[in-house]
Amino acid sequence: MAAAPEFMYGTAWKEERTPALTELALRSGFRAIDTANQRRHYFEAGVGQALAAAYQAGIVTRADLFLQTKFTYRPGQDHRLPYDPEAELSAQVAQSMASSLEHLGTDHVDSYVLHGPASGHGWTEYDAEVWEAMVRERGAGRTRQLGVSNVSLRHLFQLEASGAELPAFVQNRCFARLGWDRDVRAYCAERKIVYQGFSLLTANPEVLHHPLVARIAARLEATPAQVVFRFARAVGMLPLTGTSSAEHMKQDLASLTLSLSAEEARAIESLSG
Ligand SMILES: NC(=O)c1ccc[n+]([C@@H]2O[C@H](COP(=O)([O-])OP(=O)(O)OC[C@H]3O[C@@H](n4cnc5c(N)ncnc54)[C@H](OP(=O)(O)O)[C@@H]3O)[C@@H](O)[C@H]2O)c1
């Protein structure tokens, strides 16, 4: 497996531009790619086309990459399903995984994520069945690690209380006004779960326009978006970007080397919540 990723390129909402943009991300230096077997928002086979092109061009090998995909329940899908909706949930997981591996042209992914629990209120028996099936996929070598997405602290506590194996990753939308998902991040930190944050820019326009962030950006000769991504790393997150811009791809990766002080990171952390 590739080294632990520092930044992840997200492939949602790119439709027919998915192959070209994913290949551009690889050429720009991204080595971790996030997708999902959910045709409604992702074109996973297009990600696979980009990978094949990048291997062919000698940009990367499979071993250089961290590939993450997801299992999505029926209500999150449109009519383009990667499984038989009449099948048991555990069979749907196996079918979705087989389809992902085919799309991505690989025999394993590095991380397999439950896209979202069945209910917003808690960890249900459906989630328990799916999670068990995902653990079996890991046991069979089709993924190295497992994750959950769009979860609350309650979901995580209930999953843990059920005695099930804990995820290696939690992927959540990260709102600054909720202390950048402070409670879930603290839960993850205590258990060595890596927190993946998405919508760091789009969920937090007030931060991008905040004078504190503008001051730090000016000091670092960087953009506010770069400051947000650097901050995310500083507090232990693995950030995602889904930018379609070559310039932003470069800027996002370059943000990793900005010298943000611990005091600045603390100030950003408590900006709006
Ligand atoms: N688990 C889930 O349910 C879930 C949900 C949503 C997203 N995700 C994952 O997270 C990924 C990222 O999604 P996101 O919601 O964070 O939004 P995003 O797709 O990364 O969108 C970021 C927006 O900010 C703009 N932007 C401006 N300056 C930028 C800069 N320097 N760097 C990057 N973007 C900049 C981008 O415009 P330009 O394109 O012009 O740069 C874009 O419009 C997705 O592709 C997907 O893989 C997962």
Side-chain angles (χ1 to χ4, degrees), residues 178-195:
L178 301 178
W180 306 89
D181 214 3
R182 183 182 284 113
D183 295 348
V184 171
R185 285 192 299 116
Y187 174 96
C188 290
E190 281 163 20
R191 291 159 182 80
K192 301 208 175 347
I193 296 168
V194 175
Y195 179 97

Side-chain angles (χ1 to χ4, degrees), residues 7 201 225-233 239-241 252 255:
F7 217 135
L201 305 182
Q226 286 180 301
V227 172
V228 167
F229 287 132
R230 179 65 188 86
F231 153 76
R233 282 304 288 158
L240 283 107
T241 175
D252 293 356
S255 73

Side-chain angles (χ1 to χ4, degrees), residues 10-14 34 42 70 115 149-150 171 173 198-202 225 229 240-245 248 251-252:
T11 61
W13 313 303
K14 295 176 174 57
D34 177 77
Y42 296 78
K70 311 186 191 84
H115 208 152
S149 182
N150 298 301
Q171 182 182 100
R173 179 165 282 125
F198 64 84
S199 302
L200 284 161
L201 305 182
T202 50
F229 287 132
L240 283 107
T241 175
T243 181
S244 296
S245 143
H248 289 162
Q251 289 176 353
D252 293 356

Side-chain angles (χ1 to χ4, degrees), residues 13 15 37-42 74-78 80:
W13 313 303
E15 290 298 327
N37 209 341
Q38 180 203 34
R39 191 58 192 83
R40 179 177 173 187
H41 294 304
Y42 296 78
R74 177 73 188 88
Q77 303 272 8
D78 61 16
R80 294 165 291 180

Side-chain angles (χ1 to χ4, degrees), residues 163-182:
E165 179 177 321
L166 290 180
F169 299 103
V170 163
Q171 182 182 100
N172 268 2
R173 179 165 282 125
C174 193
F175 289 100
R177 64 178 176 276
L178 301 178
W180 306 89
D181 214 3
R182 183 182 284 113

Side-chain angles (χ1 to χ4, degrees), residues 86-101:
E86 303 301 326
E88 303 273 329
L89 284 169
S90 55
Q92 291 183 18
V93 169
Q95 289 168 17
S96 193
M97 171 62 103
S99 159
S100 286
L101 296 180

